[in-house]
């Protein structure tokens, strides 16, 4: 008869951990898309809306959104192919993957604490409780409720699977899974360091000599280095990034910030400016650096009594390095989703700490864990609900951080997309009072005032904006209905024709999309956006030479038009030249 901690029973407990971790964030299923990366990545990205050799080539070569993630794009494309632009489908996939990650973390904890045998009952339950604490933490809400974050979650799945394979002495499989993680998103580049920590603390292999261990990890370090170089190139070429390790003090603030938010997960927002002028901890940069050095010195002093503490600290810092050290000019931001992978090591550390206590200590610690789980569950339910739509999200951000640079502009845009013009203009004006040098917001305000004036004379403009709002929510049929009403009121709305074409293209209605592309180009023949979109549509219809002509026209008008450049490069790889 199997013991409770072995075989099927252990996996059953892990499955329960996964179900609970996913269920806590069920409000995400009620949410739509938000006007923060979702439009570019999901709504208007024609490269994931169909799946063929051309799209696969794009996924394998694209630096779109300053990252290299071919398997991440493939996952998003498969969901679109099965469910279209349904936000619920993307959110459901995120919840499913998160549940798998929590279950894998539970099993990983058991393997770390019982590397040579199946876990005892108390070890299993300790690892399960620790995995639940990680799984229901409010910091995870951003990763689960933001549809664009699915590649990050998948990268974590392969990261955990790679660690489990390594602990089972299947090194080749571990490397393959690690490579898959990097192809989903590159945030797991710290895995070779984690493997060395496991060798030293869990498997006690340091006696074999560090030279041998490092040599053994050479393929892992090579894969990590390749991922760093490719993504550094993507960021440098697409967004002016590339200041690697140029801002270590801000990175120190970030390292401390996540530790604080793990303990005190209140007032969470999508992003926090942690540049020198203002950071959420209120520490001077020198104080932050000294605090990190002090914590590092402490875990080094305690390394003989608690070697796992040093290992987890090193792995935590290494996992945070990519997002905090790859920065661009301007403020550096911390985001909740950076904590998703970097905090994994805290779960087995907490489980081992509980096991080290006496019987009475374990009882009290168990009660405390139950209370914390209940508290975090309530906070997570609320946090996930803030991602219902763009207006709800950015109003929450401004309530927590009235000076938020991103929230002020995005809230104005969200109001405008819903046709609530006066509220949008008021939001932009409030933002400009706090940030008078924001030229982009000033341009948005000017365009908003012009659109408000037009809406009084052009009744179709309001229907157009309602269509945009429904489209961003993933309600494509309602969006098409509003676009059709707008064009019935005013058939000269070129932008409405183009947006209708984009929506129809996403539904695979290519011939209808082309009709609206033609109308948009007739009305505004020198609009690079319209020409680029028409080129994409006619390419899908197999008229490649015509598509090439459209894309070249777009680039002649706007030589730096990113979408047209990418589409033309892809098209040139398809057209066979004599």
């Amino acid at each position: 008869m199997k013991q409770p901690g072995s075989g099927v029973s252990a996996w059953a407990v892990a499955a329960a951990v996964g179900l609970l971790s996913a269920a806590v964030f069920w409000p995400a299923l009620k949410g739509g898309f938000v006007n923060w990366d979702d439009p570019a990545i999901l709504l208007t990205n024609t490269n994931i809306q169909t799946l063929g050799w051309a799209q696969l080539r794009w996924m394998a070569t694209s630096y779109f959104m300053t990252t290299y993630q071919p398997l991440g794009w493939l996952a998003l494309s498969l969901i679109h192919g099965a469910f279209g632009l349904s936000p619920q489908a993307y959110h459901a996939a995120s919840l499913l993957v998160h549940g798998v990650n929590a279950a894998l973390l539970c099993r990983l904890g058991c393997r770390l604490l019982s590397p040579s045998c199946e876990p005892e009952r108390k070890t299993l339950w300790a690892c399960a409780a620790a995995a639940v604490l990680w799984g229901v933490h409010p910091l995870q809400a951003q990763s689960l409720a933001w549809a664009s974050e699915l590649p990050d979650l998948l990268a974590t799945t392969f990261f955990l699977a790679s660690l489990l394979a390594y602990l089972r002495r299947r090194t080749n499989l571990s490397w393959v899974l690690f490579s898959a993680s990097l192809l989903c998103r590159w945030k797991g580049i710290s895995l070779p360091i984690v493997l060395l920590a496991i060798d030293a603390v869990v498997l006690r292999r340091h006696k074999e000599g560090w030279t041998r261990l490092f040599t053994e990890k050479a393929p892992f370090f090579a894969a990590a280095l390749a991922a760093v170089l490719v993504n550094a190139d993507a960021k440098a070429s697409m967004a002016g990034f590339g200041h690697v390790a140029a801002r270590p003090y801000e990175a120190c603030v970030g390292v401390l910030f996540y530790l604080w938010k793990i303990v005190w997960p209140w007032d969470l927002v999508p992003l926090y400016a942690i540049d020198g002028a203002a950071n959420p901890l209120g520490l001077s940069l020198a104080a932050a650096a000294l605090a990190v050095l002090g914590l590092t010195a402490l875990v080094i002093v305690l390394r003989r009594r608690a070697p796992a503490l040093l290992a987890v600290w090193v792995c935590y810092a290494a996992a945070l390095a990519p997002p905090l050290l790859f920065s661009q000019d301007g403020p550096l931001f911390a985001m909740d989703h950076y904590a998703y992978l970097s905090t994994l090591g805290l779960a087995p550390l907490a489980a081992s700490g509980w096991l080290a206590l006496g019987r009475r200590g374990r009882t009290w610690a168990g009660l405390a864990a139950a209370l914390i789980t209940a508290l975090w569950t309530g906070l997570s339910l609320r946090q996930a609900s803030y991602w219902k739509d763009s207006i709800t999200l950015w109003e929450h951000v401004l309530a927590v951080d009235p000076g938020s640079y991103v929230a002020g502009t995005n809230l104005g845009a969200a109001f405008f997309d819903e046709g609530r013009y006066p509220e949008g203009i008021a939001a932009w004006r409030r933002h400009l009072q706090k940030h008078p040098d924001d030229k982009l917001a000033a341009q948005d305000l000017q365009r908003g005032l012009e659109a408000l004036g037009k809406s009084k004379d052009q009744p179709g403009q309001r229907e157009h904006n309602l269509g945009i709002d429904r489209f961003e929510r993933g309600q494509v049929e309602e969006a098409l209905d509003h676009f059709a009403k707008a064009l019935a009121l005013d058939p000269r709305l070129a932008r409405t024709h183009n947006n209708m074409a984009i929506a129809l293209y996403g539904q695979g209605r290519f011939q209808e999309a082309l009709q609206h592309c033609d109308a948009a180009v007739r009305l505004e023949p020198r609009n690079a956006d319209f020409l680029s979109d028409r080129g994409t549509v006619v390419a899908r219809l197999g008229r490649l030479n015509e598509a090439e002509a459209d894309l070249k026209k777009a680039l002649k008008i706007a030589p730096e038009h990113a979408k047209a450049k990418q589409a033309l490069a892809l098209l040139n790889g398809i057209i066979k030249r004599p």
Side-chain angles (χ1 to χ4, degrees):
M1 181 175 179
K2 290 185 179 291
Q3 296 299 317
S6 66
V8 175
S9 296
W11 278 111
V13 171
V17 168
L19 286 172
L20 176 60
S21 299
V24 164
F25 295 95
W26 68 267
L29 294 173
K30 298 181 179 180
F33 298 118
V34 296
N35 63 348
W36 192 38
D37 286 357
D38 283 351
I41 290 175
L42 301 174
L43 299 179
T44 61
N45 186 0
T46 55
N47 292 296
I48 68 167
Q49 293 178 357
T50 55
L51 189 59
W53 287 115
Q55 287 71 34
L56 290 172
R57 185 180 292 108
W58 176 86
M59 295 173 191
T61 59
S62 175
Y63 281 173
F64 186 56
M65 299 301 288
T66 72
T67 190
Y68 183 71
Q69 53 173 50
L71 289 185
W73 293 125
L74 179 61
L76 295 174
S77 181
L78 290 173
I79 293 174
H80 185 280
F83 302 102
L85 285 172
S86 166
Q88 287 71 35
Y90 290 94
H91 295 320
S94 294
L95 293 182
L96 175 62
V97 175
H98 177 63
V100 171
N101 290 343
L104 290 175
L105 181 59
C106 176
R107 291 296 291 155
L108 177 64
C110 292
R111 295 293 300 179
L112 289 172
L113 298 180
S114 302
S116 60
C117 61
E118 291 294 338
E120 298 179 356
R121 182 196 298 265
K122 64 180 181 181
T123 301
L124 173 61
W125 292 113
C127 293
V132 166
L133 284 171
W134 175 86
V136 304
H137 197 285
L139 276 174
Q140 319 299 18
Q142 181 178 18
S143 295
L144 303 184
W146 190 12
S148 296
E149 273 301 289
L150 180 61
D152 259 14
L153 300 177
L154 288 169
T156 304
T157 304
F158 288 113
F159 184 94
L160 289 165
S162 176
L163 291 175
L164 282 167
Y166 184 78
L167 285 166
R168 293 180 180 274
R169 307 300 175 94
R170 301 181 67 181
T171 306
N172 291 338
L173 176 60
S174 177
W175 184 87
V176 170
L177 292 168
F178 174 50
S179 299
S181 175
L182 297 177
L183 293 174
C184 288
R185 190 70 71 84
W186 70 300
K187 299 293 177 60
I189 59 169
S190 61
L191 186 131
I193 296 173
V194 177
L195 296 182
L196 289 172
I198 290 173
D199 284 341
V201 177
V202 179
L203 303 179
R204 306 289 184 181
R205 294 185 61 203
H206 57 282
K207 296 179 182 179
E208 300 176 21
W210 287 107
T211 301
R212 176 178 177 179
L213 295 180
F214 272 99
T215 303
E216 184 184 81
K217 304 301 181 298
F220 292 90
F221 279 108
L225 178 61
V228 169
L229 293 176
V230 169
N231 282 277
D233 183 52
K235 295 181 184 303
S237 61
M238 300 294 287
F241 284 68
H243 301 295
V244 184
R247 302 170 74 171
Y249 291 144
E250 284 92 336
C252 289
V253 172
V255 168
L256 296 173
F257 171 73
Y258 289 113
L259 291 177
W260 170 242
K261 283 301 180 183
I262 290 167
V263 177
W264 190 260
W266 271 263
D267 291 337
L268 299 179
V269 293
L271 74 171
Y272 317 79
I274 56 172
D275 60 329
N279 64 74
L281 294 178
L283 294 175
S284 69
L285 299 182
L290 286 173
V292 170
L293 289 173
L295 287 172
T296 303
L298 178 61
V299 296
I300 290 174
V301 169
L302 296 174
R303 68 187 184 282
R304 296 190 183 280
R305 295 180 58 185
L309 188 61
L310 175 59
V312 170
W313 175 250
V314 170
C315 294
Y316 166 73
L320 282 177
L324 292 178
L325 293 182
F326 276 85
S327 59
Q328 64 184 125
D329 294 334
L332 184 65
F333 290 101
M335 301 184 189
D336 287 350
H337 70 93
Y338 294 164
Y340 191 84
L341 187 146
S342 62
T343 57
L344 290 171
L346 297 178
L349 181 66
S352 65
W354 183 84
L355 291 170
L357 297 173
R359 184 173 182 179
R360 179 173 296 182
R362 289 198 296 269
T363 300
W364 284 108
L367 291 173
L371 290 173
I372 292 171
T373 300
L375 175 62
W376 286 357
T377 296
L379 291 174
S380 293
L381 286 166
R382 185 178 66 177
Q383 194 65 29
S385 69
Y386 291 137
W387 290 79
K388 173 186 175 184
D389 54 51
S390 299
I391 291 176
T392 304
L393 175 64
W394 300 121
E395 284 184 334
H396 163 67
V397 174
L398 290 171
V400 174
D401 179 11
S404 173
Y405 199 90
V406 174
T409 55
N410 283 0
L411 180 61
F415 277 129
F416 234 75
D417 287 343
E418 286 203 1
R420 296 161 63 176
Y421 305 130
E423 291 168 277
I425 289 170
W428 280 323
R429 282 177 169 160
R430 288 194 299 270
H431 174 76
L432 286 168
Q433 288 176 354
K434 297 167 186 171
H435 305 284
D437 297 328
D438 188 345
K439 295 180 181 179
L440 291 177
Q443 292 173 4
D444 287 340
L445 176 59
Q446 183 61 37
R447 284 194 292 265
L449 290 169
E450 292 173 359
L452 178 59
K454 289 180 181 178
S455 69
K456 296 175 181 177
D457 301 322
Q458 298 180 6
Q461 187 67 39
R462 178 177 174 81
E463 291 293 339
H464 168 88
N465 286 312
L466 288 172
I468 292 292
D469 173 66
R470 298 303 182 269
F471 185 66
E472 290 185 349
R473 293 170 185 259
Q475 300 167 2
V476 181
E477 289 298 335
E478 291 185 34
L480 288 170
D481 184 55
H482 283 293
F483 289 146
K485 289 179 180 177
L487 293 173
L489 292 167
D490 186 355
R492 299 169 299 169
L493 293 174
R495 180 67 63 178
T496 305
H497 278 293
N498 198 66
N499 287 334
M500 192 162 191
I502 292 171
L504 290 167
Y505 182 94
Q507 290 193 324
R509 297 158 66 179
F510 306 121
Q511 198 62 51
E512 294 174 76
L514 179 58
Q515 293 174 10
H516 287 281
C517 282
D518 288 341
V521 171
R522 278 197 304 270
L523 290 164
E524 295 186 21
R526 291 191 55 78
N527 189 305
D529 289 338
F530 298 170
L531 286 165
S532 175
D533 289 334
R534 187 183 187 280
T536 300
V537 173
V538 295
R540 191 65 180 81
L541 290 169
R543 293 150 58 175
L544 303 185
N545 291 325
E546 188 178 347
E548 183 181 29
D550 282 337
L551 294 170
K552 286 182 175 179
K553 287 179 185 177
L555 289 171
K556 187 175 181 180
I557 296 167
E560 297 304 318
H561 196 287
K563 191 174 180 181
K565 288 171 70 175
Q566 291 175 357
L568 184 60
L570 189 63
L571 193 63
N572 286 334
I574 299 173
I575 297 177
K576 297 186 181 296
R577 305 291 181 186

